[in-house]
Amino acid sequence: PIIARFYDIVVKMHYMEDEHKPPHVRVRYNWHEGVFNIATGNMTRGNLPKNAIRLVKDFISQHRERLLAMWENQDFETLEFRE
């Protein structure tokens, strides 16, 4: 499911049975894609521009505990980006 949208960035988290660890989110920005580790906030795969990486890292930092809880319990919700 899509858990956030901000500045043309779409953040998704897939159902656990379809995914592998470590806990991560998938991000799309225009034609770019990336995978971010929730615990570290680092992009582990992808080709996002630097400004999008910074915004996604900020988003993960703002919501890290909730993102990890969503990964574990699969209770997805929409989260807001706070500037």
Side-chain angles (χ1 to χ4, degrees):
I2 294 173
I3 58 172
R5 290 179 197 255
F6 52 92
Y7 299 112
D8 294 327
I9 295 171
V10 177
V11 181
K12 294 182 177 183
M13 185 179 292
H14 293 267
Y15 291 103
M16 195 176 297
E17 59 267 6
D18 296 335
E19 289 294 309
H20 55 277
K21 291 197 175 199
H24 60 278
V25 292
R26 296 179 179 272
V27 177
R28 180 174 296 235
Y29 174 67
N30 296 326
W31 60 88
H32 303 283
E33 294 183 354
V35 176
F36 287 77
N37 181 305
I38 296 170
T40 66
N42 292 329
M43 186 169 67
T44 57
R45 286 195 313 267
N47 62 349
L48 270 66
K50 288 181 183 180
N51 63 330
I53 292 170
R54 181 183 54 76
L55 290 168
V56 173
K57 285 183 167 195
D58 287 349
F59 171 79
I60 291 172
S61 177
Q62 292 171 14
H63 297 290
R64 183 169 282 115
E65 289 182 25
R66 186 64 199 125
L67 290 167
L68 289 170
M70 280 195 270
W71 178 272
E72 289 301 321
N73 63 29
Q74 301 288 280
D75 183 19
F76 301 111
E77 63 183 87
T78 301
L79 302 173
E80 297 293 325
F81 178 76
R82 297 184 301 262
E83 294 189 48

